[in-house]
Amino acid sequence: MRPDTPAENVDHTAEAARLERTAGLYPEDAEALLVRAAAHLELSGDRPSATKLYDRLLSSPDGLENPPLVRALKASNLWEYGHEAEARAIIEGVRTTAPRDPAPWVIVAEALESHDELEAAQETFTEGARLLLTDVAEPPYSTHPLLYGRHRVRRMLGAPHDDWDRLADTLHTMPVSLDELHDPKRVWSLGSDDPADLEAEISRLRAELGAYREALSRPFPVAMLHWPAGELTELLEAYPSLSEEYPSYEEHLTTIEAALRELASSGTPNLGVVPGTVPSYEAFAASEGASPSDATLLPQYATTLAARGRAVAWPPQRGAGCWCGSGRTYGECHGTGA
């Protein structure tokens, strides 16, 4: 639902600057041009500058045609570079204003989804669908991503199909069904929730099964699963039987560091630490048709997260923060005596 942007080989910083200049020449089109410029800045990695552009738009004395869209884009961007609390507040504000445009609903729901807030994402998709599609004979094309996103999240949660899921199935006209596109195992293994990416992968699997098996054999980093303190507390409250795996948070951290050092001493390359969250673990368990209390799922969950690029290399670079999130450098924390 973000504005269209050119291919990866484009200089996004230069393109953003060009769009800003053009916005100055054509004030009547400034909103659309600056939104696209902010998208280019995000792609360039300069997220703070993108936020400044969103703020510039939101403070415009002439007002905006679609303020909820700009707020939704700002929230999604903020969350990507550490401003979670502010992003959540803006998302709640967007939901409260109940925009009649589906794009803000999709953007904030996908922001929640990308940070493993699957229940909240489902609620947001559903809230938007209820507002825009109740008593509508034929869903407008612009609302299709709302239904497709809701279908995807519900598949990840293992929820049974309801009327809106069946409507999404009906609207989807590609040869590969939504159920197959949104198969949780495939979403997890690919690390992508873009239907075009998933459809391309499914077609490739059907035509080139041998190549797919070869692709699956490529080495991923060996990653140890780390539960941050709050997540571990929530995990053990929900699934007490896992306390045998995690007697205490301190012992959990010690075990991770010891295991990594033992693997390193044996010559194992590409080591890493991957943080887990309870919502994403529950979604993974649902995709496997298993209970989250099954401890044998834990290493599979870690491997899957590592395959999605979530692992942080171990040991951290000199002077870098410790993998445990203490705020101290690795050398001052778990790297002491390394």
Side-chain angles (χ1 to χ4, degrees), residues 299-322:
Q300 298 176 46
Y301 173 56
T303 299
T304 303
L305 290 177
R308 296 178 68 190
R310 301 292 180 87
V312 176
W314 181 95
Q317 293 182 351
R318 183 178 182 86
C322 187

Side-chain angles (χ1 to χ4, degrees), residues 40-74:
H40 280 287
L41 288 171
E42 290 185 41
L43 289 170
S44 75
D46 191 357
R47 292 187 176 277
S49 292
T51 294
K52 289 179 181 178
L53 268 189
Y54 293 134
D55 287 337
R56 175 179 161 187
L57 281 165
L58 291 169
S59 62
S60 172
D62 299 327
L64 298 175
E65 291 183 11
N66 196 343
L69 173 63
V70 178
R71 293 192 184 97
L73 291 168
K74 177 184 175 182

Side-chain angles (χ1 to χ4, degrees), residues 227 230-240 242 246 278 281:
W227 296 98
E231 295 292 337
L232 184 61
T233 299
E234 183 179 344
L235 179 75
L236 297 181
E237 287 176 352
Y239 310 104
L242 293 180
Y246 307 112
V278 174
Y281 177 57

